Amino acid sequence: MNKKLVFIRVDANHKKGMGHLFRMLTLSDIFASMDVESFFVIREDEISERILGEKEVSYTVYPSNTGELEIIQNILKKTKNFPSIWIYDILNTEISWIRSIKEKNIKVVAFDDEKGGIKEADVVINPIVHSWGNYNPSSTRARLLEGAEYAVLNPRVFELRKERIIRSGNPLSIGITMGGSDTYGVTVSMIESLDVINIGVDRITVFTGPHFEHMPELEKMVRKCRHRVEIKHMVKDIHEELNTMNVVICGGGITLFEVSTMGLPPLAFANEPHEELTIRYFQSLGACGSIGSRTKLIEGSIGEKLNEYLNNISLLNSFALSNYKRFRQDCN
């Protein structure tokens, strides 16, 4: 009997970021533990292809200008064994795409979808806050799983979850991770902002991902910084590295979910408009501090916010405790 098969349609690059690919790789590992095979369908990207190759995941690649319907028709024409499920993780889908797939009696699951998936998919999974409630109930035919509890997180973060306390008066170890690509080079701005604030720093560690394209500017800023800064590019286990930090500066995407799950206090910056609502949601839970948004940036504001949070150890500890208690309860 053939092993069950799932197709995963995902794109990742410098512009789109790498979070979609990473969470689908996490999902494919879970499928593998269930004896289900994953097959990735992506648009060409040298780094994404290299990652899939290193993970020894089956995949196929289409040119970046290939239309989605063309990809679907080509895949369905070539495949000998249709999958049980077709997963979309490219944000919003079109109704025509989903209908073309479902004609072959394939179930369709869509992530972070407010368009075609809501109307035609079998299941839509929307963990990001921006999507919550953005649907007309009369047109929502898919089974909708909505909420932060449906985020696909690397299992490593649950292994590393623990109660954390920053001792007042001790210099801080600060981690900075702005995703696998950091499309807008925000990491550089974080180092610039940390350089001028008055805090006791043991070390600042910058983690850059596979699609990071701002290394010359970052290295220049690091040389100017009065604090001790280390750059680590494409570390083997980012979660193990973050585990040694007192506080983590990150974006408002999947990293915020994972850092919080580990019980760390995050200071989050919205690289994209939709991340603003996610950060606001975590703030409402007493789980993180907001240090601004790229689309609403005021000169000097990042530094002011960082100075405010990093000099308030009791507040950072409250973020950490809130995360530890909340996620411990969820996991039990």
Side-chain angles (χ1 to χ4, degrees), residues 25-160:
L25 284 168
T26 295
L27 197 57
S28 73
D29 286 341
I30 295 170
F31 287 145
S33 70
M34 301 164 60
D35 203 30
V36 176
E37 182 180 354
S38 300
F39 183 78
F40 282 70
V41 181
I42 67 169
R43 285 195 171 94
E44 59 187 354
D45 179 76
E46 180 182 353
I47 291 174
S48 295
E49 293 170 46
R50 186 178 74 225
I51 291 171
L52 289 169
E54 291 172 350
K55 295 283 188 180
E56 298 183 346
V57 176
S58 299
Y59 69 95
T60 191
V61 179
Y62 285 86
S64 57
N65 60 352
T66 310
E68 193 64 34
L69 273 177
E70 184 180 349
I71 291 175
I72 294 168
Q73 291 163 0
N74 186 269
I75 284 288
L76 294 178
K77 184 178 179 180
K78 289 194 308 181
T79 189
K80 294 180 180 179
N81 299 312
F82 286 150
S84 303
I85 299 172
W86 183 299
I87 294 176
Y88 262 118
D89 193 357
I90 61 171
L91 300 178
N92 293 324
T93 59
E94 298 293 335
I95 291 175
S96 59
W97 307 348
I98 297 176
R99 286 178 176 172
S100 296
I101 297 166
K102 293 182 71 172
E103 282 177 359
K104 303 297 183 181
N105 294 318
I106 301 169
K107 300 292 186 182
V108 177
V109 176
F111 281 78
D112 300 337
D113 198 325
E114 300 172 25
K115 287 191 175 180
I118 287 292
K119 297 180 180 180
E120 291 291 336
D122 294 282
V123 178
V124 170
I125 302 172
N126 285 345
I128 61 172
V129 182
H130 177 268
S131 300
W132 299 355
N134 287 348
Y135 330 101
N136 181 346
S138 64
S139 65
T140 304
R141 297 189 181 92
R143 181 188 178 197
L144 179 61
L145 304 179
E146 183 182 79
E149 62 270 29
Y150 294 108
V152 177
L153 307 182
N154 191 309
R156 188 80 176 109
V157 303
F158 296 98
E159 297 171 7
L160 296 171

Side-chain angles (χ1 to χ4, degrees), residues 3 9 58 64 71 155 164 218 240 254 263 283 319 328:
K3 182 183 291 189
R9 175 72 187 90
S58 299
S64 57
I71 291 175
R164 303 169 190 268
L218 177 59
E240 183 64 51
I254 196 70
Q283 272 190 295
F319 294 158
R328 181 181 62 180

Side-chain angles (χ1 to χ4, degrees), residues 36 47 51 87 125 135 138 166 174 179 187 200 206 228 249 254 271 290 297:
V36 176
I47 291 174
I51 291 171
I87 294 176
I125 302 172
Y135 330 101
S138 64
I166 304 171
I174 303 170
T187 302
V206 178
R228 180 164 68 98
I249 298 170
I254 196 70
N271 293 292
S290 171
L297 196 57

Side-chain angles (χ1 to χ4, degrees), residues 33 41 50 182 224 257 290 295 305:
S33 70
V41 181
R50 186 178 74 225
D182 186 12
K224 290 170 54 180
F257 286 83
S290 171
T295 59
K305 286 290 186 180

Side-chain angles (χ1 to χ4, degrees), residues 10 95 127 192 216 241 276 291 326:
V10 62
I95 291 175
E192 183 179 21
E241 297 277 354
E276 295 173 11
I291 54 175
R326 179 163 49 90

Side-chain angles (χ1 to χ4, degrees), residues 270-284:
N271 293 292
E272 302 289 352
H274 71 263
E275 294 183 357
E276 295 173 11
L277 290 179
T278 300
I279 293 170
R280 196 178 306 163
Y281 170 74
F282 275 77
Q283 272 190 295
S284 73

